Amino acid sequence: MGSGNVSGTLARLAVAAGLDVVLSNSRGPESLADLGPRARAATPAEAAEAGDLVVVSIPLGAYEKIPAEPLAGKIVIDTLNYYPERDGRVAELDANELTTSELVQRHLADSRVVKAASNIVSSRLFSLARPSGAPDRSAMPIAGDDAAAKAEVVELLDILGYDVVDIGTLADSWRSEPGTPVYGKAYYGEVPKDVSLDKTMEWIFQTPGVPVPADRVRELTATVVRGTAGGRLSVDAWI
């Protein structure tokens, strides 16, 4: 649900792995084209009903528009991040009373929410995918309250090209949110000094990335100290 960069990349990886994909967005199925033989367009409600695992990738500010009823009983992979300048201020997040995933889970009370694929920019998500057992395989953190749901997401991410580090419950998912060491930068490394500030985002999205193995993800998420919730969309947030 949502056909932006992250969900579109996950769809490409899924199709390449031989999985069937149903994509939707707020503009309607007619806005989605050239999906390939294993993918089709649908409305959000149709995508929710069709999916065994449903990826939600929309701006956090629109989370209440996620259709809860057709997602009842489903595993929902939450890729949402909080950017106050885009999403507006959410008092419970600003006060660290909830994580973004707990907010989504509260809205989707009858679904099983798993936080995943939220800490890597879309270009790296695609370029760093590797077959199981590859020596340069990367890992990503996941969090969730339902062990069986997490196990299914681990299986999916393995198929898509990633190892997984379980960082705990949805209450622990802040460990991979914007501003933490495992968010973004770990997967592209240091920006070269000869890259100007106005070219930084272009460099980030165009270079192939740096593999981040499971042990490194485990270290980064275990040692992080919780700060203020919310990230920034400006370039200084990425360097």
Side-chain angles (χ1 to χ4, degrees), residues 3-235:
S3 58
N5 291 335
V6 171
S7 56
T9 299
L10 290 172
R12 289 171 64 194
L13 291 172
V15 167
L19 303 180
D20 294 321
V21 174
V22 180
L23 277 169
S24 70
N25 63 23
S26 60
R27 298 184 299 278
E30 64 280 358
S31 67
L32 298 167
D34 300 324
L35 301 177
R38 301 198 71 96
R40 65 181 176 89
T43 67
E46 289 168 343
E49 292 172 353
D52 296 317
L53 291 91
V54 181
V55 176
V56 175
S57 186
I58 62 174
L60 180 69
Y63 82 94
E64 291 180 313
K65 296 181 181 179
I66 303 169
E69 185 175 345
L71 288 171
K74 301 269 188 173
I75 297 173
V76 175
I77 300 175
D78 164 30
T79 74
L80 279 57
N81 286 305
Y82 178 39
Y83 294 103
E85 64 192 79
R86 178 196 66 187
D87 302 316
R89 287 287 174 184
V90 180
E92 291 170 298
L93 299 181
D94 291 341
N96 286 339
E97 295 173 0
L98 291 175
T99 63
T100 56
S101 290
E102 287 178 301
L103 196 68
V104 173
Q105 178 67 86
R106 187 173 68 185
H107 174 64
L108 303 177
D110 295 322
S111 303
R112 295 179 289 164
V113 173
V114 178
K115 187 77 166 185
S118 62
N119 68 310
I120 311 176
V121 297
S122 57
S123 57
R124 296 298 185 279
L125 184 59
F126 187 79
S127 67
L128 290 174
R130 298 288 188 276
S132 183
D136 59 345
R137 203 180 206 213
S138 290
M140 67 174 69
I142 68 166
D145 296 339
D146 186 297
K150 284 197 285 189
E152 289 200 43
V153 175
V154 169
E155 183 178 355
L156 174 65
L157 292 175
D158 178 57
I159 292 170
L160 299 187
Y162 284 87
D163 292 333
V164 168
V165 174
D166 186 341
I167 62 173
T169 66
L170 296 179
D172 299 311
S173 62
W174 63 267
R175 295 180 178 276
S176 62
E177 288 180 348
T180 62
V182 80
Y183 184 86
K185 185 175 181 179
Y187 297 89
Y188 60 79
E190 293 292 333
V191 179
K193 293 181 180 179
D194 61 350
V195 175
S196 62
L197 187 62
D198 64 325
K199 295 291 186 181
T200 295
M201 292 304 293
E202 181 181 343
W203 180 89
I204 287 171
F205 278 91
Q206 290 185 354
T207 52
V210 178
V212 184
D215 285 347
R216 182 58 174 158
V217 171
R218 194 171 292 111
E219 176 188 0
L220 292 174
T221 53
T223 58
V224 63
V225 176
R226 193 172 192 178
T228 303
R232 299 188 305 278
L233 291 170
S234 54
V235 67

